[in-house]
Amino acid sequence: MTQEALAGDDFTKGYVSALERGAVRPSLKALDIFANRLGVPITHFLSTSQEPASERDVKRQQEDFLLQCNYAKMLLRAGLLQEALQFIDELEQYIQPYAKMLPPDLAYMIPFLRGSVHLKAKELNLARAELETALATAKEDEEASARVRNLLGVAFLWLDLPQLAVEQHLECLNMIRVRSHATKDPYFRVSVYLNLANDYWALNEAELATGVYTEAVAILEELSDLKRQANLFWEMSEAHKASNDGPQAKLYGLHALHIHEIADSQAEAASICLNLAEIRIGEKQYEEATALLKSTGDLVAGTGNRTVMSKFHRVEADLARRQRQFETASQHAQQSIALAQADFEAAQSIEGKAGNPFGLSELSEHDPTRVYAEALHIEALIEEDRGNREAADRIFERALALVESPAQVQPAGQMETVANKKTRYAISLGYAKVLEARGEFEKAVSFYRVAAELQAHSMRRAI
């Protein structure tokens, strides 16, 4: 077979010539194409001599292995999870003859990458097993161990084991603080801080989360990464809000808003404005909330984002309800529900076709299910205030059904998200207060009990 025939349409004659001279090393994909073209199994190219490999050969194999690992990471970042798993399996077979020659900072990569894929796919028990294997392999290398512990902590959090997650992330922080040489990647350090803050959120420890955020801000200020700073400021705002520290919540919210406005990030800026308006509504500062919503209207419309627009109408509905402008409140609530329902149905369609292997952030306020449930919650409160109790009951039931425990509606091994619990808690508590005001005390107690269980759940699991 000539070099031209072997090259085909996939390669050049020069590339084949370079392979023959040993000037370049082929990827696994290239080897697979050549194997099919030559009618031999790919293992024909992967078999090695029984003679001891030279130091140069070992180094070349390690360099090639690292390049292949980077390609697997690229597939993972692109969301091509099945392709990534298949490639990792092939890479494991390819490197098998040299596996014992790999140092710890490379040897851990196969289970680490496979665990990363399973984590992305929300196959949490599989992810945990692979990452624990990676940790055992990487224990002699501090940076490798830190990276594995960081992801293993995420797996524990998503498995609803927040105390185990805290232990992993605190160990990462110990490496970062005490043995700073363990990792020089500032973005990795920030990710550890943020993951630890999420653990504290799950344990209902808002004050501890706030302290962690403060340390992360110091790192981001050194990096001048405005977008990440803005997101972190907003997380700090939420933490202070949960700690009933309204002034600090508004202060950090305004910091985040200012950065997004400079960066012309309309959707993010609009979302922050709406959250600031909600804070003011909760404090009964209705004039300030009205002014914020008025200035946010054009910004929201400009995003073209149905989730943000749904939230805008929901906040408008809540403000009008509290001012007893029920007709206006109902109009906004209906618009909020229509937009949220459209997003929810679109998300359900995607899940049905592709299994939704990627998912949204576990703490995302933009989860279509949550947004839809929250829109229904406001409509239920409006109907109750208007005296339409039967309608209010039906809408409360619809909202709660959307965010019911995933043990009944989710695949095995997938936890109920922290954000989902917060939404269930808010709706259950809201319904309990409505029932108590009606004098339906027995039914009210049952929903108060649900709310109390949700509030205490994470701490109980930690103990």
Side-chain angles (χ1 to χ4, degrees), residues 1-21:
M1 182 179 287
T2 64
Q3 290 179 339
E4 291 91 341
L6 184 57
D9 295 330
D10 302 283
F11 310 98
T12 64
K13 176 183 175 182
Y15 178 72
V16 173
S17 176
L19 285 176
E20 291 177 347
R21 298 194 311 273

Side-chain angles (χ1 to χ4, degrees), residues 237 246-255 276 279-280 283 285:
S237 174
Q248 286 296 311
K250 286 186 281 189
L251 175 63
Y252 285 111
L254 288 170
H255 282 331
L276 290 171
I279 292 173
R280 282 159 172 77
E283 296 173 344
Q285 297 176 5

Side-chain angles (χ1 to χ4, degrees), residues 66-85:
L66 185 57
L67 287 173
Q68 304 294 353
C69 287
N70 289 335
Y71 180 72
K73 291 178 184 177
M74 184 191 72
L75 292 174
L76 176 60
R77 283 193 295 269
L80 302 173
L81 304 188
Q82 290 303 318
E83 291 87 338
L85 275 179

Side-chain angles (χ1 to χ4, degrees), residues 416-432:
E416 179 175 17
T417 67
V418 174
N420 196 76
K421 286 178 185 175
K422 288 182 179 179
T423 303
R424 276 212 297 148
Y425 168 78
I427 298 174
S428 298
L429 183 61
Y431 196 21

Side-chain angles (χ1 to χ4, degrees), residues 228-246:
R228 290 181 185 234
Q229 282 184 35
N231 292 337
L232 188 51
F233 281 136
W234 182 247
E235 293 289 346
M236 293 177 72
S237 174
E238 289 288 274
H240 283 292
K241 181 181 175 183
S243 300
N244 297 315
D245 188 348

